[in-house]
Amino acid sequence: MKTRIKIFTFSLLGCLSLLSTYGHAENKAMDLPENQFVTLTFHDVRDDVARVGDRDPYAISTDYLVQYFSWLKRDGWTTISLKDIQRAREQKVRLPEKSVLLTFDDGALSGYTKVFPLLKQYQLKAVFAIPTSWIGTQHKDAIEAYGAHNLMSWDQMREMQKSGQVEFVSHSHNMHRGIISNPQQNLQPAATARMYNPKTARYESDQSYRKRVLEDLKHSKAILQKELSATTQAIFWPYGAVTAESEDIAKQAGLSMSFSLGTMAPLADSVKTYQRALIVNNPNLAEITQAMSEFLYHTKQPYLEQKSFIQFNLSDIAQPLLKQSDEKLSQFLNQLEALKTNQLILKPVADLDGDGKVDTAYFPNRQLKMKQDLLNRTVWQARTRTYQRVYAELPLSLANQGYDMVQMVEDIFKYNSNLEGLVLDVGQELNCAIGSTVWSADCKKQIQRVIHIKQQTAKRAKYYANISNVYLAVVKLQANQSAGLKALFETLSDDSDYIYLVMDGKTSKTEHARLLKNVQQLSHVQKQRLMVGFDLAGQSPQNHWITSRVADLRRQGIQKISLENYNFKNARQVQQQLYASISLNTNPLIYRDPFQAQQGAHQ
């Protein structure tokens, strides 16, 4: 289980986890707005943690924790309690200027033997999240995570609680585990995944899912009440896996305070689920403090991250048997791993009969025929194997065909809570807006229709999407013109996270020059919210038209670049001709061409 946990949390937080690489980033002042606080998540504490490559990536050395606690006191930080946050949430008090919530997950024995003495020494507060089914038992997941007899006892926790410096909260009863969540039998977080039954080939119903989660949380709360006389109101979700749906279930169980994992420093009085930054890879004091700064910095400007997108059709990996589809999926993921991109857009619907209408889906849904259940497996494998952030793409033409777009999006995210967002492909329906600065009445109606559909689908998707991720809604246009780009941004500024402009090989040099000129008119934030894609359909990357234009856009400050219609036929040319343009690999010396590797294997 420990391996599965590690893979999930790394993919969940990606490069924004508290990794040692932050030690090399530019230092930024930690200026906290009113009622904002930093919250860090620790696990085990040991004297012998290796500086690099320890057997437990979540463990921190005792020396490093001592250094960090000492720095907190020197630098004027106040460790706050859940009661402090609750009172600030109710606007009864204001948090101290430099507030940090220290949290320790899983109930490792070092919480009593290492952390508790240090809390007393430095007069600090901390919260411990306990998976109640692990305590006083030989639970297999606990043994796999920490070894036998390496968790705190209830007596030890009672002693800690009496100090007034320690709080205990729910980490669920028995949801600190993975459950089978698709026909390929991937294990995913029990709190958010719909359980799949291989014997019946069915997913659990909404009613069964909600009952399972509710009973678990109630049981955990009852055990904490019995053993510690602690009427906890908080749930720290295992793996940070929580949705608005599971958040609602927690409230029914009497757990109104919800904590996930993520990259957004929380405001005590303005959110439902608070995000916690995850300590991994045994960071030293400089790396932890740098990461705290980054945590706050990305709260204000999360869109600044450089992103490199690949768009891929799930129909390209569909085969008669799931095993065969899995082989195609592995082939695709090996290519992604070589490219070192970080964003993947999946098309989970297709027009298989070629009549111009969508007729097939690759996920369970109530409207389209499902050809094969592939979306969940692909999303999970892409996240855990190649650390991609994955988005689903749906064409607006589905609405024109009479399908309920909101229901379709609900079905996607209900079974795929790990998706990062939705790309709404409006085709050429907004060409009237992107091509001109003067819009007719009909054009304005089309814009409002797109905004309405985007708002409604985003609202439904966010109910089922993992709160630990930063949901992204994208309006995608297929046009070679750009005169109305700034005006469209200003119209969609409150309603669209990104605008995604797709160009193809027919885009002339003149039109490309106009795009560059129009990009110059955008504000810094608008530039960061512009995606530009290059359609590979029917094109040969060897003509270098993409390479030169990507370079032009990057010089203008556009950092979100995508390749549309990547497939197995053009993959070799992309690797050999466009790697330098699309890859985020900072060390080209370690590039491995998957096609050369294949060729060598056959020789």
Side-chain angles (χ1 to χ4, degrees):
M1 190 60 190
K2 193 73 170 193
T3 301
R4 296 188 191 107
I5 296 171
K6 179 182 73 172
I7 290 174
F8 180 78
T9 50
F10 267 58
S11 63
L12 174 70
L13 298 180
C15 65
L16 294 179
S17 292
L18 304 190
L19 302 178
S20 60
T21 52
Y22 272 142
H24 305 292
E26 178 186 355
N27 190 32
K28 299 177 178 67
M30 284 184 269
D31 52 332
L32 277 69
E34 191 174 69
N35 270 354
Q36 187 172 76
F37 61 98
V38 176
T39 176
L40 304 182
T41 305
F42 299 85
H43 286 78
D44 203 5
V45 181
R46 304 195 329 263
D47 294 341
D48 61 344
V49 181
R51 182 65 184 95
V52 178
D54 190 80
R55 65 180 184 274
D56 182 358
Y58 303 109
I60 187 171
S61 74
T62 310
D63 286 344
Y64 285 168
L65 189 63
V66 168
Q67 293 171 22
Y68 177 59
F69 281 3
S70 177
W71 174 82
L72 286 176
K73 298 296 287 187
R74 292 196 314 271
D75 205 53
W77 286 81
T78 300
T79 53
I80 56 175
S81 67
L82 294 179
K83 186 176 181 180
D84 294 329
I85 298 171
Q86 184 66 36
R87 293 183 67 193
R89 192 177 200 169
E90 296 169 354
Q91 298 183 338
K92 294 180 179 178
V93 298
R94 294 293 179 187
L95 293 178
E97 184 178 349
K98 289 183 176 181
S99 293
V100 59
L101 181 70
L102 301 177
T103 70
F104 292 81
D105 284 4
D106 298 351
L109 182 58
S110 62
Y112 178 76
T113 61
K114 303 287 187 184
V115 181
F116 184 42
L118 291 173
L119 293 175
K120 290 190 292 184
Q121 177 182 346
Y122 289 97
Q123 287 299 295
L124 302 174
K125 299 176 183 178
V127 182
F128 290 78
I130 307 300
T132 49
S133 66
W134 287 17
I135 306 303
T137 70
Q138 291 300 305
H139 197 292
K140 62 180 181 63
D141 292 335
I143 293 174
E144 186 174 345
Y146 296 104
H149 311 295
N150 201 25
L151 296 180
M152 294 186 290
S153 68
W154 290 117
D155 282 340
Q156 290 167 336
M157 285 187 267
R158 281 188 279 269
E159 178 187 344
M160 296 166 70
Q161 186 172 255
K162 286 179 182 178
S163 72
Q165 294 172 253
V166 173
E167 297 173 274
F168 291 95
V169 299
S170 173
H171 204 33
S172 84
H173 179 64
N174 194 30
M175 290 194 295
H176 200 295
R177 63 190 178 95
I179 59 172
I180 295 176
S181 55
N182 56 36
Q184 298 87 351
Q185 301 194 27
N186 279 122
L187 298 179
Q188 297 177 24
T192 53
R194 258 56 174 183
M195 188 182 300
Y196 181 82
N197 188 331
K199 294 182 179 179
T200 62
R202 295 176 65 89
Y203 291 90
E204 68 181 331
S205 66
D206 291 351
Q207 182 179 4
S208 296
Y209 161 75
R210 291 167 184 159
K211 180 181 179 182
R212 170 172 62 81
V213 175
L214 180 61
E215 289 179 349
D216 180 283
L217 296 179
K218 282 184 173 181
H219 193 34
S220 174
K221 181 178 172 67
I223 291 175
L224 289 170
Q225 173 70 46
K226 176 185 175 182
E227 296 291 347
L228 302 175
S229 299
T231 308
T232 182
Q233 295 181 327
I235 170 67
F236 285 24
W237 296 95
Y239 321 125
V242 53
T243 64
E245 181 183 27
S246 58
E247 188 181 63
D248 285 345
I249 298 170
K251 290 178 182 176
Q252 295 176 40
L255 300 170
S256 59
M257 297 186 75
S258 173
F259 288 79
S260 65
L261 296 172
T263 59
M264 303 291 283
L267 287 164
D269 52 1
S270 65
V271 297
K272 296 180 179 179
T273 288
Y274 302 109
Q275 294 194 356
R276 301 183 294 153
L278 179 66
I279 293 289
V280 293
N281 290 352
N282 194 21
N284 60 30
L285 174 61
E287 291 163 350
I288 296 177
T289 56
Q290 180 62 42
M292 289 174 66
S293 176
E294 290 289 337
F295 191 52
L296 295 167
Y297 178 67
H298 282 282
T299 300
K300 302 167 187 174
Q301 299 178 330
Y303 52 84
L304 290 178
E305 181 187 3
Q306 187 176 17
K307 297 181 179 181
S308 185
F309 294 80
I310 293 292
Q311 189 239 35
F312 185 77
N313 299 338
L314 279 179
S315 58
D316 285 355
I317 63 173
Q319 300 293 316
L321 300 176
L322 283 177
K323 181 179 179 181
Q324 296 170 328
S325 296
D326 243 15
E327 292 172 353
K328 297 289 284 185
L329 174 59
S330 290
Q331 182 182 348
F332 170 60
L333 293 180
N334 285 338
Q335 294 171 8
L336 275 189
E337 174 63 22
L339 277 177
K340 298 294 185 210
T341 52
N342 63 352
Q343 315 284 318
L344 175 62
I345 300 172
L346 293 174
K347 293 185 68 174
V349 298
D351 169 21
L352 292 187
D353 61 13
D355 66 352
K357 296 181 179 180
V358 173
D359 52 36
T360 302
Y362 294 96
F363 60 94
N365 72 95
R366 291 165 283 179
Q367 299 181 75
L368 284 169
K369 178 181 178 181
M370 183 174 71
K371 178 75 172 178
Q372 202 170 40
D373 193 346
L374 294 177
L375 180 59
N376 183 279
R377 169 72 165 179
T378 305
V379 171
W380 184 256
Q381 294 296 98
R383 288 176 64 86
T384 57
R385 284 179 55 181
T386 62
Y387 310 116
Q388 301 285 321
R389 293 177 182 172
V390 190
Y391 310 80
E393 178 182 314
L394 287 180
L396 189 62
S397 61
L398 280 169
N400 300 336
Q401 290 179 231
Y403 292 108
D404 185 333
M405 290 285 287
V406 175
Q407 186 185 85
M408 192 76 70
V409 169
E410 177 179 303
D411 289 341
I412 287 178
F413 280 83
K414 183 183 294 183
Y415 297 99
N416 295 277
S417 63
N418 296 303
L419 284 167
E420 299 278 342
L422 180 73
V423 177
L424 181 63
D425 182 2
V426 303
Q428 299 180 355
E429 292 202 27
L430 291 186
N431 281 17
C432 63
I434 195 69
S436 174
T437 56
V438 180
W439 300 337
S440 67
D442 286 342
C443 187
K444 292 178 181 178
K445 288 181 180 179
Q446 287 177 255
I447 295 172
Q448 290 305 311
R449 175 174 178 260
V450 169
I451 290 175
H452 176 74
I453 292 176
K454 192 204 73 65
Q455 287 178 330
Q456 295 303 308
T457 53
K459 180 179 179 180
R460 207 65 197 136
K462 288 180 180 180
Y463 188 70
Y464 296 102
N466 193 333
I467 293 170
S468 294
N469 304 330
V470 180
Y471 181 87
L472 181 66
V474 182
V475 174
K476 174 181 171 182
L477 301 85
Q478 299 180 8
N480 291 329
Q481 299 180 354
S482 58
L485 183 59
K486 185 172 181 62
L488 192 56
F489 255 118
E490 292 171 349
T491 302
L492 299 178
S493 59
D494 295 330
D495 303 291
S496 178
D497 294 326
Y498 284 6
I499 289 179
Y500 181 14
L501 190 60
V502 180
M503 320 295 284
D504 61 29
K506 298 178 181 178
T507 307
S508 68
K509 291 183 179 180
T510 300
E511 290 166 334
H512 174 66
R514 289 196 188 109
L515 172 62
L516 296 176
K517 183 177 180 180
N518 291 325
V519 164
Q520 291 179 0
Q521 307 305 313
L522 300 179
S523 69
H524 175 67
V525 172
Q526 289 169 344
K527 286 183 179 181
Q528 295 301 323
R529 295 189 182 277
L530 174 64
M531 290 172 56
V532 178
F534 295 89
D535 194 349
L536 300 175
Q539 305 296 324
S540 171
Q542 291 181 328
N543 62 20
H544 301 292
W545 70 278
I546 295 177
T547 301
S548 61
R549 294 183 180 186
V550 168
D552 290 341
L553 287 164
R554 292 203 188 280
R555 282 192 288 269
Q556 293 293 334
I558 303 303
Q559 299 299 318
K560 279 73 176 176
I561 301 295
S562 176
L563 295 182
E564 286 274 306
N565 288 308
Y566 179 97
N567 56 46
F568 293 113
K569 293 180 179 179
N570 59 36
R572 180 187 293 271
Q573 290 180 315
V574 169
Q575 294 280 349
Q576 295 175 354
Q577 300 293 327
L578 297 177
Y579 173 81
S581 297
I582 198 73
S583 177
L584 297 179
N585 183 14
T586 57
N587 183 3
L589 296 177
I590 64 173
Y591 172 62
R592 175 190 57 82
D593 186 333
F595 296 97
Q596 286 185 357
Q598 289 177 11
Q599 186 176 15
H602 293 307
Q603 290 177 350

